Amino acid sequence: MSEAAPSIAVPEPGSAVELATFRDLQSRLPDLFREVFPDPRAPRTVVIVPSLSLDQDVMARVTGAHHYEERMLCMLMLLKLPRTRVIYVTSQPVSEESSTTTSICFPGFRRRTRASA
C-alpha cells in the first residue's frame, strides 16, 4: 500500500508569506545558476522539451493553449552563454510572433523546422 504524499501548505496568493517565499527562492537563483553552469564558456547543448499533460480534446477548448509550450522559449536566455546550443522540441509550430520576438532578442537565432511523425 502506498502512502499519501504529504500536503504542502500553499500561502494565499499575493500574501506577505507568498511574497517572502518568492523573494527567498529568487535570492537563491544566482548561486544555483553558478553551480549548474560553473564555466560559462564551456560548450554545451541544452534540449528543451516543454510538456503538457492534458487530453487533446481539453486542449482544443483552451484558448491560447499553444502559449503554454511557448513559455519555455525563455530558456533561450541560455544562448547568452558563449558556445551554447539550444534545441527546442515542440509539438506545434512556434508562432511567427514568438519567432520574430526571439530573433530581435537573440540576433543569432535561427529558426529551423523539421517535421517528423
Side-chain angles (χ1 to χ4, degrees), residues 54-75:
L54 294 175
D55 182 87
Q56 290 299 314
D57 292 334
V58 173
M59 289 292 293
R61 293 187 300 240
V62 176
T63 303
H66 65 281
H67 294 298
Y68 288 99
E69 277 197 359
E70 289 182 6
R71 69 185 174 180
M72 292 303 296
L73 288 170
C74 69
M75 297 296 288

